[in-house]
Amino acid sequence: MTHQATAAEPAAVPVRTAPAPAGSRRTKRRDGRWTPWVYLAPALVVLAGLLVYPIYQLGLISFLEYTQAQVSGGEPTTFQGLGNYRTLFADSQFWEVLLATVVFAAACVVATLAVGCTLAVLLTRIRAVPRLALMMAALGAWATPAITGSTVWVFLFDPDFGPVNRILGLGDHSWTYGRYSAFALVLFEVVWCSFPFVMVTVYAGIRSIPSEVLEAASLDGASQWRIWRSVMAPMLRPILVVVTIQSIIWDFKVFTQIYVMTNGGGIAGQNLVLNVYAYQKAFASSQYSLGSAIGIVMLLILLAVTLVYLRLLRRQGEEL
């Protein structure tokens, strides 16, 4: 005989807790909002000391009359406002150097990305031993100081003792005499010391792509160029953004290679770029205010290029 309950058991009643006061919720949100900044504070302090303050001083000097007379204390420092910038923009040589800098930097960026991306793809196609040899050679070029690499390249292309002219049968041809040949020589050196960063970064990105995706594209009959253009490049776009911006910044402010390989800017300044031009104005001519104004102009150009590039990518729906 089964036992039947004579009375229904009471249903479980959920226990409700009192809601937290609105003030405490706001306090927690406020505390959580400031938590990341607390962790970033040490780095921000270091950046302020190493970056913000020098830029502030550079901008301040660009608004002053600051020459050797003011440095030595012979004359008082006076406020010029935008006078230094008006003098700079009225100088036809400034615009010639600016154009040469933009063209030279663009050529360096394109060549560096092309060489770096090509070798990154090549690293995925060769065996372990050749891959290790190529990586070591590239990292050796990357680790070489710019002044050392520039001196070696000057020797290699020296008209009297360089092996390149002997191998090519060019006799005593001077690579640094002509404007375009000198820029080309510097471009080769800049690409040589810059492509390893692109190669290693893009190679790491390629390794993160699922192998099934690449195998499917290969089985569909896509060529290597098509795989790169339609599969790899879209998936590597955030990485390509980083290496492109880095290359633009580095190549736009090239100094050592131009100064060493063209002996301070070439014959009659035919190979000047903005960084060397600013150095000549500031230290060779003791016009420190004009040199500072050139530095501020370079900073604004690089910021504008970076912001425009990032905005275009955001419009295309890229997550950065």
Side-chain angles (χ1 to χ4, degrees):
M1 184 175 181
T2 59
H3 174 71
Q4 295 182 356
T6 57
E9 297 181 357
V13 179
V15 178
R16 296 184 180 180
T17 58
S24 97
R25 289 199 302 268
R26 284 196 298 268
T27 303
K28 289 181 179 179
R29 284 199 300 268
R30 191 181 303 113
D31 293 341
R33 186 170 62 238
W34 287 104
T35 299
W37 294 104
V38 173
Y39 289 107
L40 290 174
L44 294 176
V45 171
V46 174
L47 286 176
L50 297 179
L51 185 63
V52 177
Y53 181 72
I55 291 177
Y56 162 75
Q57 287 292 334
L58 188 71
L60 179 62
I61 294 175
S62 70
F63 291 108
L64 304 175
E65 183 183 1
Y66 201 72
T67 62
Q68 188 61 40
Q70 282 76 31
V71 173
S72 61
E75 296 181 8
T77 301
T78 58
F79 182 73
Q80 297 292 315
L82 297 176
N84 291 319
Y85 292 94
R86 285 193 291 266
T87 302
L88 184 64
F89 295 152
D91 186 2
S92 60
Q93 187 181 20
F94 167 76
W95 296 106
E96 295 175 2
V97 173
L98 176 60
L99 177 61
T101 304
V102 171
V103 174
F104 174 74
C108 288
V109 170
V110 172
T112 301
L113 292 177
V115 173
C117 292
T118 301
L119 293 179
V121 175
L122 178 63
L123 286 175
T124 64
R125 303 294 177 182
I126 58 180
R127 296 182 180 274
V129 175
R131 184 189 307 125
L132 179 62
L134 179 56
M135 290 283 286
M136 294 300 295
L139 292 177
W142 194 10
T144 303
I147 189 169
T148 304
S150 301
T151 304
V152 170
W153 276 75
V154 169
F155 168 74
L156 291 176
F157 289 85
D158 185 84
D160 298 321
F161 306 104
V164 174
N165 281 6
R166 295 182 183 180
I167 294 174
L168 298 179
L170 297 177
D172 58 351
H173 172 72
S174 176
W175 291 82
T176 58
Y177 182 79
R179 183 186 187 190
Y180 298 108
S181 61
F183 269 129
L185 183 61
V186 178
L187 183 145
F188 293 150
E189 202 280 334
V190 170
V191 172
W192 174 76
C193 68
S194 301
F195 84 86
F197 169 74
V198 178
M199 183 190 75
V200 172
T201 307
V202 175
Y203 174 70
I206 293 175
R207 282 301 187 188
S208 67
I209 298 177
S211 58
E212 296 82 3
V213 176
L214 302 178
E215 291 175 1
S218 180
L219 291 175
D220 288 340
S223 62
Q224 293 300 322
W225 167 247
R226 184 62 182 273
I227 293 176
W228 165 259
R229 184 171 63 88
S230 302
V231 179
M232 289 185 180
M235 300 183 72
L236 295 174
R237 188 165 295 176
I239 294 178
L240 293 176
V241 169
V242 174
V243 297
T244 300
I245 293 176
Q246 289 277 18
S247 298
I248 291 173
I249 294 173
W250 289 342
D251 296 339
F252 193 83
K253 59 186 185 69
V254 164
F255 175 83
T256 304
Q257 292 88 341
I258 288 286
Y259 192 83
V260 172
M261 300 179 71
T262 65
N263 196 22
I267 300 173
Q270 64 180 2
N271 296 114
L272 283 176
V273 292
L274 280 179
N275 241 353
V276 181
Y277 184 59
Y279 175 84
Q280 288 188 353
K281 288 293 184 182
F283 298 102
S285 303
S286 298
Q287 297 176 328
Y288 303 107
S289 51
L290 280 179
S292 300
I294 297 172
I296 294 297
V297 170
M298 291 181 61
L299 174 65
L300 295 177
I301 291 174
L302 289 175
L303 285 177
V305 170
T306 304
L307 292 176
V308 169
Y309 193 55
L310 292 177
R311 187 171 182 180
L312 289 175
L313 290 175
R314 291 292 295 271
R315 285 183 177 179
Q316 295 174 4
E318 295 295 330
E319 293 292 336
L320 301 176

